[in-house]
Amino acid sequence: MAGISVGFLGMGYYVPEKVLTNFDLEKMVDTSNEWIVERTGIRERHIAAPDQATSDLGLIAAQRALEDAHLSADDIDLIVVASESPDMKFPSVACMLQDKLNASHAAAFDLGAGCTGFVYACGIASQTIASGLYKHVLVVGAETLSRILNWQDRNTCIIFGDGAGAAVLGPVEDGYGILSVDLGAKGAGGKFLSMPAGGSRRPATHETVDNKEHFIHMNGSEVFKFAVRVMGHSTLNGLKKAGLTKKDIGLLVPHQANIRIIASAAKRLSLPEDKIMVNLDKYANTSAASVPIALCQARDQGRLYKGENVVMVGFGAGLTYGSLVVKWHKTEEAKV
Ligand code: UT7
């Protein structure tokens, strides 16, 4: 990429304390632990406490990322939050974090690209640093999806979880950092994953509430087919833009939606298991938070090395997809 090299200076994540297992879900809807594990790979997920909203989860992740980067909120020029479950329609979660962090110099906005949100946000935010406009950008993916799930709909309530992940982007040694950004969308598929009401087309009425239109509606098999197509496609596109091939992947950090989607991408990329970060068994699909949480845990497990090519790839509501290829600029110390 042209301009200043931009990398991940610090990272942090937070998941709420409460764990909801598949066995708990068996008591809530007509499902079974066996079905969920076999069809998705998920075993449990974290659920926000009643007094926690998305900005509360994002704040803790952001504070941890700043600490990891050895920077203060004062050093941040821009805050971008990717979320489909903000505290409210407006003001943005990013502005709430700007206030809570006391990041008084930072501009702030939210970005909605579904589960690809963190990849989109890093891809776009990195350009503001590469161009010299900003020096440090805080990117957060945060979700409290439990609040927009219909807990009687087994098609959706079993696959999502709550959590937040954050990264501080900034200048790194030349030749390291984000090598390529590949972003895409297929708006025609938007109907397959949406929250139909609560916007200007279907404002909240008694009818929209009674019809449960303020919850996530999903055609799982259509989203699945899209995901299988774009995960490999976007990874290969990103690698090509970076002048690399699939043999150069050091670690793949995919969106954690379904182990079968990850396995199919791995097959297309000829990647062995030890080159793929997977944590969906414990956290389920945390949408925009899934990639940064997985990235943080890869760091904590000592799986990020200087010079290694780390590929983040995702897909989600929109429908959207995208990948980032990053040449990691330092060897991260294992924390677990
Ligand atoms: O981040 C983006 C968010 N979305 C996704 O990533 C979703 C991608 N899609 C998926 O992960 C999968 O499509 C699901 C996990 C959602 C569903 O798995 P599937 O293998 O596509 O199942 P299906 O919807 O085709 O349903 C197969 C059967 C159906 O029964 P019949 O009609 O064959 O008798 C469903 O009614 O499984 C049934 N079923 C369930 N059974 C037990 C669907 N959900 C459940 C459930 N428990 N929770």
Side-chain angles (χ1 to χ4, degrees):
M1 274 188 346
I4 297 160
S5 296
V6 182
F8 289 70
L9 303 184
M11 295 171 288
Y13 78 97
Y14 170 76
V15 288
E17 243 171 70
K18 185 184 167 183
V19 173
L20 186 76
T21 67
N22 292 348
F23 297 106
D24 297 326
L25 279 168
E26 283 182 355
K27 295 175 202 137
M28 298 161 66
V29 280
D30 180 17
T31 192
S32 66
N33 173 58
E34 199 187 354
W35 190 95
I36 302 173
V37 172
E38 197 177 294
R39 306 305 293 168
T40 71
I42 297 163
R43 291 180 185 276
E44 56 191 41
R45 69 284 292 142
H46 290 246
I47 302 291
D51 63 346
Q52 283 180 315
T54 297
S55 66
D56 302 313
L57 312 191
L59 177 65
I60 302 173
Q63 286 165 333
R64 290 177 178 170
L66 282 167
E67 195 181 318
D68 187 43
H70 305 292
L71 290 171
S72 78
D74 238 9
D75 298 314
I76 298 299
D77 303 305
L78 172 68
I79 301 171
V80 186
V81 176
S83 183
E84 293 297 353
S85 50
D87 293 34
M88 55 188 75
K89 186 69 196 155
F90 62 88
S92 65
V93 177
C95 282
M96 292 176 188
L97 290 189
Q98 195 250 11
D99 176 41
K100 291 182 191 198
L101 289 165
N102 200 15
S104 48
H105 307 301
F109 69 92
D110 283 4
L111 173 157
C115 306
T116 326
F118 182 80
V119 172
Y120 257 70
C122 289
I124 299 303
S126 65
Q127 302 307 304
T128 67
I129 302 167
S131 67
L133 176 65
Y134 294 133
K135 188 164 183 201
H136 297 123
V137 181
L138 173 67
V139 179
V140 181
E143 302 280 9
T144 316
L145 298 167
S146 59
R147 300 282 154 68
I148 55 167
L149 284 174
N150 174 357
W151 289 99
Q152 283 147 15
D153 176 13
R154 69 177 184 176
N155 286 308
T156 50
C157 75
I158 57 128
I159 66 173
F160 293 104
D162 297 338
V168 178
L169 302 187
V172 294
E173 193 182 331
D174 253 5
Y176 290 86
I178 299 174
L179 301 180
S180 72
V181 178
D182 180 63
L183 303 176
K186 194 184 173 211
K191 57 182 178 284
F192 297 132
L193 184 52
S194 69
M195 181 157 77
S200 56
R201 177 131 348 246
R202 301 271 300 154
T205 60
H206 288 292
E207 190 196 354
T208 62
V209 172
D210 291 345
N211 290 345
K212 302 192 188 312
E213 291 179 61
H214 296 272
F215 294 125
I216 295 177
H217 287 236
M218 184 179 76
N219 180 331
S221 59
E222 286 297 334
V223 178
F224 190 98
K225 281 188 265 177
F226 172 77
V228 164
R229 261 199 324 274
V230 297
M231 292 283 272
H233 167 79
S234 188
T235 301
L236 292 171
N237 256 356
L239 287 166
K240 197 171 167 199
K241 286 181 188 178
L244 302 172
T245 71
K246 59 187 184 181
K247 290 198 187 71
D248 299 310
I249 299 175
L251 185 70
L252 185 77
V253 183
H255 171 41
Q256 307 286 313
N258 186 317
I259 195 67
R260 291 184 292 140
I261 294 172
I262 295 175
S264 120
K267 195 170 165 205
R268 178 148 177 215
L269 299 166
S270 321
L271 273 186
E273 263 179 40
D274 64 340
K275 289 198 169 188
I276 308 167
M277 180 64 206
V278 176
N279 66 4
L280 59 77
D281 51 325
K282 292 218 164 320
Y283 304 102
N285 178 348
T286 56
S287 190
S290 112
V291 168
I293 294 175
L295 185 67
C296 279
Q297 293 201 328
R299 176 212 43 204
D300 294 350
Q301 292 168 14
R303 294 172 75 176
L304 302 177
Y305 303 96
K306 182 167 184 176
E308 182 183 54
N309 295 310
V310 178
V311 181
M312 292 166 229
V313 61
F315 66 92
L319 298 171
T320 58
Y321 62 86
S323 67
L324 295 177
V325 177
V326 187
K327 196 179 192 63
W328 215 258
H329 69 287
K330 61 172 181 166
T331 297
E332 307 278 354
E333 223 170 277
K335 295 188 181 177
V336 286

